[in-house]
Amino acid sequence: MGTHAVDTKPAILAIPMSIPGPVKAAGAVGILIGLATFGFGFAMHRELALASFISNFMFWAGLAQGAVMLPVAMTVVGARWGRPIKRYAEVLGLMFPAMYVLLMLFFLIGGLDIYPWMHEQMPKHKDIYLQPGFFVARLAIGLGVLGLLSLAFIRNSLRPDLGVAAKVLGDKAPAFWASLTRNWKGDAEEIEQARERGVFLSPFMALFYSLVFSMMAIDLSMSLAPHWFANMFPAWYFASAFWSGLVAIAILSLSTRRWLGVEKFITTNVYHDLGKMTFGFTMFWGYTSFAQYLAIWYGNMTEEIGFILLRTELKPWSDLYLVVVTLCFLVPFATLLSRGIKKIPSAYLAITSVIAVGIFLERFWVVMPSVQMEPDLVTPLLLTVGMGIGFLGFFALGTTAILSKIPAIPVSDPYMQPDPNHVHVHPKHAHH
Amino acid sequence: MNGITYGAVTRDILRPLFKPSAAYLGLLGLSLAIMAWGGYCWYVQLVHGLGVAGYQPPVFWGVYITTFVFWIGIGHAGTLISAILFLFRSRWRTGVYRAAEAMTIFAVMTAGLFPAIHVGRAWNAYWLFPYPNQRELWQNFKSPLMWDVFAVSTYFSVSTIFFYIGLIPDLAAVRDKTSGLIKKMYTHMSLGWRGTDRQWRHYMAAYGFFAAFATPLVLSVHSVVSWDFAMSQTMGWHSTLFPPYFVGGAIFSGCAMVITLLLPLSKVFKWDEYINVWHFESLAKMCLLTGGILTYAYAIEHYVAWYSDNPYEWGIFVFRATGEDYAWVFYMMVFCNCIAPLIWWVKSMRRNLAVLFVVSIIINIGMWFERYNIIASSLAHQYDPASWVFYAPTWVEMGILIGSFGWFFTWFLLFIKVMPSVAVAEVKELLRPPLKSDEEAAA
């Protein structure tokens, strides 16, 4: 495969090594708002605060792990178009272990109390499956192993970049790089080894992601309404978590690429491709949501219909439903159809932000009606948004802190192209 | 493909269009004979009525609906490969997409026979379509069966148009190689194609447009087919996951069928330069992905049925796996669709032509059994134990099922004879253009 040599040196030299003061301050304020909201909620509306956490967890943990699944998927299929944004996906993925720790803390402070099956006698099978010890253990192990696999994947991808960048930076390279590039075997060998390991790890991660996230969807979210079940629900969640990851990669990269000096590497063509993929997943979300809704609505069976009626036909949830459909489907569908708009960074940033808000509200709309029995939308919404601001601050601070100390593009990647269309494929290699 | 000239491509790919070999005629004869047998079985049913099928209350959906869904599923790979992979700029589609598209159209044509066979009085099958009539009688538009009529006919129309658009430059290539009446025929079919810049520009725009138009249809048609089942309150059918699960299964069986069809074809016509192990390996990878989706769907379906604590829902899944009537069907399905394809995780196995061929056939068998497992067992084992029966197909039903393969292969073999089975123009795009320096070097 013929490739142009891309000079990634400017991107290495541009690594800022520190976060701008305003980002630090804003992040800290966000975290404080989140903590205060949770504290206040926990004291005043304990159930709603705990449910708000679950709603946020489904959004933020899904987004973090969903993002890292993009480079995983690209490795499986051998795609090259998204190489320039790979690092952003990985940095978001590094936030997943933090979410894991928060979930364990949530269990420790008695978060399981909001699950009705903790207080009711459940029928035979659910009684076996929804045992608190088993519940916590399988989530701790499943999400833990998934997190470790992701860390291995990210470390493997980062290593050759750090090694190559360290040579350019010399003494200025941060100290922790040395431990990540120990026993360096030389550029070519390291790059090849990382590629091989990535190719080996990726299919297992894809498999594991779908299984663990299915379990997470059933356990954390679906079992809040323990008498309801739908076999689309797990796939509906993990596909939309991947979608939220795509959206987050766009938002993070568009807002930091200039600061990190990688603007010329992440061209508008990359966003065009990412936009097409986001559009595809918007359609997929619409498709799976409709398919799930239609079968239940049409079947009209006692054990299923309540979940749907509560969320789509009873106020206040039915109003929120319209907002969710508008933000998650109508707006992105109408706008992302245009080729041009995906190539205008500010417009694309605006659209992806709308989708992110939509998915955030969708998580809320799925989780909260199972817990909030009053017709009051404002209190749980304020709690969830307040905590969401905390997570936003945490993610902003965390991701920028990491990005400020590592190369923001895969500098050692031989296929790293500013524009995939520039890669010339010689017919001789057409059948590799 | 290094060193191949444009002329050689045209010659190699158009070769089957000229002198038919004895093997070809033999295969065609065999297909016609199988089709004739199926035709005879249908004739028996038309004369004696649906009583010759193994139906007994409450089971009135059996082999015919199973086979209908099976062929619709086969018809998925063609448009997926030609349209979706075109939009993905996937290069391996070039060698295989034409034959896959033809396969799609013939598979949908085969599937289209089955509603007519299934309703018994086939001469009234046009009642499926809404048309203005004096009695102001209309179909039940609230029924998913009616949605299916629209979904399948739309899919068939768009796939055919897309197929034809792809053929135009190649039909012109055939026109240029023939003479007399045949040339005249291809001249009409190639719609005045001359290959000018202007024509290519418009052509590519139209092709891209139809690819985008066909893409959602790949998803919609089998989703709607799945709703024939999922909209009902029958246990084992009423499932929210059915649409993506059916689409995944359809692509799985379709890609396997492409391997089954193209592997012998590429060997017989010595098309190794155009369709080779790289293409088959890519198809096998598609099967791995979709087979994985299917296995996931089976697992989650069973799991949620267990979790639901609904005795009827869980009961049907237990019955499928342990009831003496249908358990073997269930295990055939699991073996063929979930276990056998796992061998393709090993690279050398998905590059081994014999393994590819055998596993692709196993998958096709498994996918027929999957539909049979869903349809027959759920109807034979409904809520009220007093209504439990055992449905087994009769020789007439099996004869029509086998005959449908004869019908399908007859069309496919005729296609090979009259149309280029590999896209000539697109293969040429992969070649290095001839240069003046080459001529000088050769001189």
Side-chain angles (χ1 to χ4, degrees), chain A residues 16-27 255-256 259-260 396-397 400-401 404:
Chain A
M17 301 297 171
S18 64
I19 324 175
V23 175
K24 240 187 233 175
S255 31
T256 59
W259 164 56
L260 295 165
L397 212 54
T400 47
S404 69

Side-chain angles (χ1 to χ4, degrees), chain A residues 84-115:
Chain A
I85 45 172
K86 172 175 114 168
R87 185 58 28 81
Y88 285 97
E90 292 167 352
V91 167
L92 282 162
L94 286 173
M95 302 305 290
F96 184 73
M99 295 304 296
Y100 176 82
V101 173
L102 288 177
L103 182 70
M104 295 303 128
L105 285 175
F106 169 81
F107 290 147
L108 276 179
I109 60 164
L112 284 187
D113 282 351
I114 48 161
Y115 288 92

Side-chain angles (χ1 to χ4, degrees), chain B residues 43 54 82 88 141 160 178 195 198 203 215 338 343 367 384:
Chain B
Y43 167 77
S82 56
F88 274 108
F141 291 106
T160 311
T178 47
R198 193 180 133 87
Y203 174 83
T215 296
C338 309
I343 196 170
M367 285 308 294
D384 179 5

